[in-house]
Amino acid sequence: MPQRTPGLTLITGASSGIGAATARLLASRGYPLLLLARRLDRLEALDLPNTLCREADVTDRAALLAAVAEAEARFGPVESLVNNAGVMLLGTVAEQDPEEWDRMLDVNVKGVLNGIHAVVKGMVERRRGTIVNVSSTSGRKTYPSHVAYVGTKHAVHALSENLREELAPHNVRVTLIAPGACNTELQSVTTNEAIKQGFEEWKASIGGVILQPEEVAESIRFALEMPQHVCIRELMLASTNQPV
Ligand code: NDP
């Protein structure tokens, strides 16, 4: 169990994958939670204690603010944000519909900023809090057919480091979690079937073993449960067999 009673934790994109695994893990450790995603039925199906589930698109700044206000009235101030919602639409720049770039930039970059906006003023006023931004190995490296996605995750890396510097004097922590390939629904959103098939072949070529969302959730828990004066700045994790 955490050393102290955990405060309200907001998880965006909690309806599947890493967000859902993190919600389950933190709920099992007594965290009150605000879970956001567009698929409310999936949030409610998690059936977690001390949890408020709300339908919210991270591109909708007002919806995030309203959900935070409602959750704070019930559970007290937000102590942590797990800024996790994201989409990955792969394609070569020559072939990909630019609408897909727009969607990734809106969700992966502006959505992350919107999550920060919803909680940061209160954290600064209280001089405590933790913002965990879920980026990717794609925030440090590059991969074929990933140009726009890699651009969004490099942006998350860069804005997180700058945010950490800005919030350090206010005693607010910023942590970046950068997973490699993980067994979630993320791949299913890509519209290019050849790229999806290529991912399955790549996975087989490394022995079929990629991260499980519960393993990424554990790294988020680790960062959250360090004492407030310890900031895990960045944690990059991937399957041992993943070469790049
Ligand atoms: P999933 O597709 O399983 O989960 C993505 C989550 O984001 C869902 O809960 C989805 O909920 C939510 N989401 C998507 N768009 C929006 C939106 N506009 N507003 C609110 N929520 C949204 O994938 P993962 O769990 O893998 O992804 C979580 C994070 O991890 C992402 O940021 C991803 O980039 C990152 N990541 C994943 C890796 C992987 O290999 N899986 C590797 C490295 C990083 P809903 O559709 O209900 O809105």
mmCIF file of all heavy atoms in Angstrom, residues 13-18 37-39 56-58 84-87 107 134-136 149 153 179-182 184-186, ligand 1:
data_model
loop_
_atom_site.group_PDB
_atom_site.id
_atom_site.type_symbol
_atom_site.label_atom_id
_atom_site.label_comp_id
_atom_site.label_asym_id
_atom_site.label_seq_id
_atom_site.Cartn_x
_atom_site.Cartn_y
_atom_site.Cartn_z
ATOM 1 N N GLY A 13 -8.094 8.540 -21.123
ATOM 2 C CA GLY A 13 -7.953 7.327 -21.939
ATOM 3 C C GLY A 13 -7.943 6.077 -21.090
ATOM 4 O O GLY A 13 -7.132 5.170 -21.299
ATOM 5 N N ALA A 14 -8.886 6.019 -20.127
ATOM 6 C CA ALA A 14 -8.901 4.895 -19.180
ATOM 7 C C ALA A 14 -9.810 3.756 -19.634
ATOM 8 O O ALA A 14 -10.007 2.803 -18.894
ATOM 9 C CB ALA A 14 -9.335 5.392 -17.799
ATOM 10 N N SER A 15 -10.343 3.855 -20.856
ATOM 11 C CA SER A 15 -11.311 2.845 -21.283
ATOM 12 C C SER A 15 -10.662 1.587 -21.855
ATOM 13 O O SER A 15 -11.354 0.599 -22.085
ATOM 14 C CB SER A 15 -12.267 3.452 -22.317
ATOM 15 O OG SER A 15 -11.538 3.932 -23.430
ATOM 16 N N SER A 16 -9.353 1.612 -22.095
ATOM 17 C CA SER A 16 -8.688 0.401 -22.593
ATOM 18 C C SER A 16 -7.190 0.490 -22.330
ATOM 19 O O SER A 16 -6.694 1.521 -21.861
ATOM 20 C CB SER A 16 -8.961 0.194 -24.094
ATOM 21 O OG SER A 16 -8.387 1.244 -24.845
ATOM 22 N N GLY A 17 -6.503 -0.593 -22.634
ATOM 23 C CA GLY A 17 -5.039 -0.609 -22.633
ATOM 24 C C GLY A 17 -4.387 -0.120 -21.357
ATOM 25 O O GLY A 17 -4.763 -0.509 -20.242
ATOM 26 N N ILE A 18 -3.396 0.742 -21.534
ATOM 27 C CA ILE A 18 -2.562 1.214 -20.413
ATOM 28 C C ILE A 18 -3.401 2.001 -19.402
ATOM 29 O O ILE A 18 -3.236 1.854 -18.190
ATOM 30 C CB ILE A 18 -1.400 2.071 -20.966
ATOM 31 C CG1 ILE A 18 -0.448 1.188 -21.790
ATOM 32 C CG2 ILE A 18 -0.659 2.787 -19.830
ATOM 33 C CD1 ILE A 18 0.557 1.963 -22.641
ATOM 34 N N ALA A 37 -12.782 9.126 -20.891
ATOM 35 C CA ALA A 37 -12.600 8.589 -22.252
ATOM 36 C C ALA A 37 -13.880 8.898 -22.999
ATOM 37 O O ALA A 37 -14.849 9.394 -22.415
ATOM 38 C CB ALA A 37 -12.340 7.083 -22.230
ATOM 39 N N ARG A 38 -13.907 8.583 -24.278
ATOM 40 C CA ARG A 38 -15.151 8.784 -25.023
ATOM 41 C C ARG A 38 -16.110 7.619 -24.807
ATOM 42 O O ARG A 38 -17.300 7.777 -24.852
ATOM 43 C CB ARG A 38 -14.833 8.963 -26.515
ATOM 44 C CG ARG A 38 -14.065 10.260 -26.801
ATOM 45 C CD ARG A 38 -13.448 10.224 -28.172
ATOM 46 N NE ARG A 38 -12.622 9.028 -28.330
ATOM 47 C CZ ARG A 38 -12.103 8.598 -29.457
ATOM 48 N NH1 ARG A 38 -12.323 9.271 -30.556
ATOM 49 N NH2 ARG A 38 -11.368 7.502 -29.501
ATOM 50 N N ARG A 39 -15.583 6.422 -24.552
ATOM 51 C CA ARG A 39 -16.456 5.252 -24.363
ATOM 52 C C ARG A 39 -16.791 5.074 -22.876
ATOM 53 O O ARG A 39 -16.099 4.342 -22.155
ATOM 54 C CB ARG A 39 -15.770 4.001 -24.918
ATOM 55 C CG ARG A 39 -15.633 4.009 -26.434
ATOM 56 C CD ARG A 39 -14.775 2.873 -26.929
ATOM 57 N NE ARG A 39 -13.391 3.004 -26.506
ATOM 58 C CZ ARG A 39 -12.435 2.106 -26.725
ATOM 59 N NH1 ARG A 39 -12.712 1.004 -27.373
ATOM 60 N NH2 ARG A 39 -11.203 2.310 -26.296
ATOM 61 N N ALA A 56 -15.524 12.076 -21.882
ATOM 62 C CA ALA A 56 -14.888 13.343 -22.261
ATOM 63 C C ALA A 56 -13.865 13.081 -23.358
ATOM 64 O O ALA A 56 -13.061 12.142 -23.270
ATOM 65 C CB ALA A 56 -14.209 13.991 -21.057
ATOM 66 N N ASP A 57 -13.913 13.916 -24.366
ATOM 67 C CA ASP A 57 -12.900 13.889 -25.414
ATOM 68 C C ASP A 57 -11.794 14.834 -24.964
ATOM 69 O O ASP A 57 -12.086 15.987 -24.582
ATOM 70 C CB ASP A 57 -13.550 14.371 -26.723
ATOM 71 C CG ASP A 57 -12.652 14.148 -27.929
ATOM 72 O OD1 ASP A 57 -11.458 14.492 -27.853
ATOM 73 O OD2 ASP A 57 -13.154 13.653 -28.944
ATOM 74 N N VAL A 58 -10.541 14.395 -24.995
ATOM 75 C CA VAL A 58 -9.458 15.263 -24.492
ATOM 76 C C VAL A 58 -9.248 16.512 -25.346
ATOM 77 O O VAL A 58 -8.546 17.426 -24.935
ATOM 78 C CB VAL A 58 -8.107 14.506 -24.336
ATOM 79 C CG1 VAL A 58 -8.176 13.491 -23.211
ATOM 80 C CG2 VAL A 58 -7.658 13.882 -25.643
ATOM 81 N N ASN A 84 -2.834 10.127 -20.467
ATOM 82 C CA ASN A 84 -2.525 8.898 -21.204
ATOM 83 C C ASN A 84 -3.223 8.762 -22.555
ATOM 84 O O ASN A 84 -2.739 8.061 -23.442
ATOM 85 C CB ASN A 84 -2.919 7.716 -20.290
ATOM 86 C CG ASN A 84 -3.035 6.406 -21.026
ATOM 87 O OD1 ASN A 84 -2.030 5.788 -21.377
ATOM 88 N ND2 ASN A 84 -4.272 5.963 -21.283
ATOM 89 N N ALA A 85 -4.350 9.445 -22.749
ATOM 90 C CA ALA A 85 -5.122 9.242 -23.993
ATOM 91 C C ALA A 85 -4.239 9.501 -25.207
ATOM 92 O O ALA A 85 -3.474 10.472 -25.239
ATOM 93 C CB ALA A 85 -6.335 10.164 -24.021
ATOM 94 N N GLY A 86 -4.352 8.643 -26.198
ATOM 95 C CA GLY A 86 -3.555 8.829 -27.410
ATOM 96 C C GLY A 86 -4.078 7.968 -28.539
ATOM 97 O O GLY A 86 -4.801 6.992 -28.313
ATOM 98 N N VAL A 87 -3.727 8.369 -29.752
ATOM 99 C CA VAL A 87 -4.075 7.563 -30.924
ATOM 100 C C VAL A 87 -2.837 7.419 -31.808
ATOM 101 O O VAL A 87 -1.977 8.305 -31.852
ATOM 102 C CB VAL A 87 -5.218 8.182 -31.761
ATOM 103 C CG1 VAL A 87 -6.560 7.979 -31.092
ATOM 104 C CG2 VAL A 87 -4.981 9.641 -32.071
ATOM 105 N N VAL A 107 -5.187 14.985 -30.454
ATOM 106 C CA VAL A 107 -5.339 14.125 -29.271
ATOM 107 C C VAL A 107 -4.019 14.016 -28.509
ATOM 108 O O VAL A 107 -3.969 14.226 -27.292
ATOM 109 C CB VAL A 107 -5.855 12.723 -29.688
ATOM 110 C CG1 VAL A 107 -5.911 11.791 -28.480
ATOM 111 C CG2 VAL A 107 -7.226 12.835 -30.353
ATOM 112 N N VAL A 134 2.114 10.197 -20.696
ATOM 113 C CA VAL A 134 2.476 8.933 -21.347
ATOM 114 C C VAL A 134 2.902 9.260 -22.784
ATOM 115 O O VAL A 134 2.089 9.658 -23.614
ATOM 116 C CB VAL A 134 1.304 7.924 -21.323
ATOM 117 C CG1 VAL A 134 1.706 6.643 -22.055
ATOM 118 C CG2 VAL A 134 0.906 7.615 -19.875
ATOM 119 N N SER A 135 4.187 9.122 -23.029
ATOM 120 C CA SER A 135 4.729 9.329 -24.372
ATOM 121 C C SER A 135 5.005 7.961 -24.977
ATOM 122 O O SER A 135 4.127 7.087 -24.952
ATOM 123 C CB SER A 135 5.977 10.212 -24.302
ATOM 124 O OG SER A 135 6.461 10.481 -25.591
ATOM 125 N N SER A 136 6.192 7.714 -25.448
ATOM 126 C CA SER A 136 6.488 6.475 -26.174
ATOM 127 C C SER A 136 7.987 6.439 -26.467
ATOM 128 O O SER A 136 8.652 7.480 -26.444
ATOM 129 C CB SER A 136 5.713 6.491 -27.496
ATOM 130 O OG SER A 136 6.153 5.468 -28.361
ATOM 131 N N TYR A 149 3.125 10.363 -36.099
ATOM 132 C CA TYR A 149 3.014 9.878 -34.708
ATOM 133 C C TYR A 149 4.282 10.215 -33.926
ATOM 134 O O TYR A 149 4.217 10.710 -32.800
ATOM 135 C CB TYR A 149 2.756 8.369 -34.719
ATOM 136 C CG TYR A 149 2.611 7.766 -33.332
ATOM 137 C CD1 TYR A 149 1.454 7.978 -32.579
ATOM 138 C CD2 TYR A 149 3.612 6.961 -32.777
ATOM 139 C CE1 TYR A 149 1.309 7.411 -31.309
ATOM 140 C CE2 TYR A 149 3.473 6.392 -31.516
ATOM 141 C CZ TYR A 149 2.318 6.622 -30.791
ATOM 142 O OH TYR A 149 2.178 6.065 -29.531
ATOM 143 N N LYS A 153 4.812 12.419 -30.441
ATOM 144 C CA LYS A 153 5.413 11.915 -29.197
ATOM 145 C C LYS A 153 6.719 12.662 -28.874
ATOM 146 O O LYS A 153 7.037 12.851 -27.697
ATOM 147 C CB LYS A 153 5.623 10.399 -29.289
ATOM 148 C CG LYS A 153 4.302 9.618 -29.267
ATOM 149 C CD LYS A 153 3.471 9.897 -28.007
ATOM 150 C CE LYS A 153 2.246 9.010 -27.885
ATOM 151 N NZ LYS A 153 1.440 9.299 -26.675
ATOM 152 N N PRO A 179 6.777 3.984 -23.074
ATOM 153 C CA PRO A 179 6.798 2.547 -23.355
ATOM 154 C C PRO A 179 7.148 2.245 -24.802
ATOM 155 O O PRO A 179 6.884 3.043 -25.706
ATOM 156 C CB PRO A 179 5.351 2.108 -23.078
ATOM 157 C CG PRO A 179 4.575 3.317 -22.676
ATOM 158 C CD PRO A 179 5.407 4.521 -23.034
ATOM 159 N N GLY A 180 7.692 1.054 -25.006
ATOM 160 C CA GLY A 180 7.801 0.485 -26.352
ATOM 161 C C GLY A 180 6.502 -0.226 -26.683
ATOM 162 O O GLY A 180 5.479 -0.026 -26.005
ATOM 163 N N ALA A 181 6.537 -1.068 -27.716
ATOM 164 C CA ALA A 181 5.305 -1.727 -28.176
ATOM 165 C C ALA A 181 4.621 -2.459 -27.028
ATOM 166 O O ALA A 181 5.265 -3.188 -26.265
ATOM 167 C CB ALA A 181 5.647 -2.703 -29.297
ATOM 168 N N CYS A 182 3.316 -2.259 -26.931
ATOM 169 C CA CYS A 182 2.546 -2.778 -25.804
ATOM 170 C C CYS A 182 1.255 -3.390 -26.341
ATOM 171 O O CYS A 182 0.676 -2.892 -27.313
ATOM 172 C CB CYS A 182 2.256 -1.610 -24.853
ATOM 173 S SG CYS A 182 1.372 -2.063 -23.367
ATOM 174 N N THR A 184 -2.079 -3.574 -26.616
ATOM 175 C CA THR A 184 -3.313 -2.815 -26.374
ATOM 176 C C THR A 184 -4.091 -2.685 -27.684
ATOM 177 O O THR A 184 -3.702 -3.256 -28.702
ATOM 178 C CB THR A 184 -2.996 -1.389 -25.854
ATOM 179 O OG1 THR A 184 -2.433 -0.638 -26.926
ATOM 180 C CG2 THR A 184 -2.051 -1.409 -24.671
ATOM 181 N N GLU A 185 -5.120 -1.842 -27.652
ATOM 182 C CA GLU A 185 -5.922 -1.620 -28.870
ATOM 183 C C GLU A 185 -5.294 -0.583 -29.805
ATOM 184 O O GLU A 185 -5.849 -0.282 -30.863
ATOM 185 C CB GLU A 185 -7.333 -1.147 -28.476
ATOM 186 C CG GLU A 185 -8.102 -2.188 -27.686
ATOM 187 C CD GLU A 185 -9.453 -1.686 -27.170
ATOM 188 O OE1 GLU A 185 -9.955 -0.667 -27.687
ATOM 189 O OE2 GLU A 185 -9.974 -2.318 -26.249
ATOM 190 N N LEU A 186 -4.147 -0.022 -29.413
ATOM 191 C CA LEU A 186 -3.585 1.112 -30.153
ATOM 192 C C LEU A 186 -3.371 0.819 -31.640
ATOM 193 O O LEU A 186 -3.664 1.646 -32.501
ATOM 194 C CB LEU A 186 -2.263 1.551 -29.518
ATOM 195 C CG LEU A 186 -1.743 2.914 -29.950
ATOM 196 C CD1 LEU A 186 -2.547 4.043 -29.307
ATOM 197 C CD2 LEU A 186 -0.266 3.076 -29.584
HETATM 198 P P1 NDP B 1 -5.517 2.036 -26.456
HETATM 199 O O1 NDP B 1 -5.967 2.289 -27.848
HETATM 200 O O2 NDP B 1 -5.840 0.739 -25.830
HETATM 201 O O3 NDP B 1 -6.025 3.214 -25.498
HETATM 202 C C1 NDP B 1 -6.106 4.540 -25.917
HETATM 203 C C2 NDP B 1 -7.007 5.293 -24.964
HETATM 204 O O4 NDP B 1 -7.073 6.657 -25.377
HETATM 205 C C3 NDP B 1 -8.430 4.745 -24.950
HETATM 206 O O5 NDP B 1 -8.901 4.689 -23.641
HETATM 207 C C4 NDP B 1 -9.202 5.781 -25.748
HETATM 208 O O6 NDP B 1 -10.516 5.881 -25.240
HETATM 209 C C5 NDP B 1 -8.422 7.039 -25.419
HETATM 210 N N1 NDP B 1 -8.647 8.084 -26.399
HETATM 211 C C6 NDP B 1 -8.352 8.092 -27.722
HETATM 212 N N2 NDP B 1 -8.751 9.224 -28.289
HETATM 213 C C7 NDP B 1 -9.320 9.963 -27.306
HETATM 214 C C8 NDP B 1 -9.928 11.229 -27.264
HETATM 215 N N3 NDP B 1 -10.044 12.002 -28.351
HETATM 216 N N4 NDP B 1 -10.400 11.683 -26.070
HETATM 217 C C9 NDP B 1 -10.303 10.918 -24.964
HETATM 218 N N5 NDP B 1 -9.735 9.700 -24.946
HETATM 219 C C10 NDP B 1 -9.257 9.234 -26.104
HETATM 220 O O7 NDP B 1 -3.945 2.263 -26.501
HETATM 221 P P2 NDP B 1 -2.805 2.339 -25.365
HETATM 222 O O8 NDP B 1 -3.312 1.956 -24.046
HETATM 223 O O9 NDP B 1 -1.645 1.628 -25.936
HETATM 224 O O10 NDP B 1 -2.477 3.899 -25.407
HETATM 225 C C11 NDP B 1 -2.307 4.701 -24.253
HETATM 226 C C12 NDP B 1 -1.126 5.623 -24.472
HETATM 227 O O11 NDP B 1 0.068 4.853 -24.548
HETATM 228 C C13 NDP B 1 -1.190 6.448 -25.767
HETATM 229 O O12 NDP B 1 -0.809 7.780 -25.489
HETATM 230 C C14 NDP B 1 -0.182 5.758 -26.655
HETATM 231 O O13 NDP B 1 0.369 6.640 -27.619
HETATM 232 C C15 NDP B 1 0.835 5.321 -25.627
HETATM 233 N N6 NDP B 1 1.732 4.245 -26.077
HETATM 234 C C16 NDP B 1 1.242 3.033 -26.461
HETATM 235 C C17 NDP B 1 2.106 2.070 -26.938
HETATM 236 C C18 NDP B 1 1.617 0.767 -27.476
HETATM 237 O O14 NDP B 1 2.382 0.067 -28.158
HETATM 238 N N7 NDP B 1 0.377 0.358 -27.184
HETATM 239 C C19 NDP B 1 3.550 2.268 -26.980
HETATM 240 C C20 NDP B 1 3.953 3.570 -26.511
HETATM 241 C C21 NDP B 1 3.078 4.508 -26.087
HETATM 242 P P3 NDP B 1 -11.845 6.151 -26.101
HETATM 243 O O15 NDP B 1 -11.620 5.547 -27.458
HETATM 244 O O16 NDP B 1 -12.908 5.461 -25.294
HETATM 245 O O17 NDP B 1 -12.001 7.625 -26.103
#
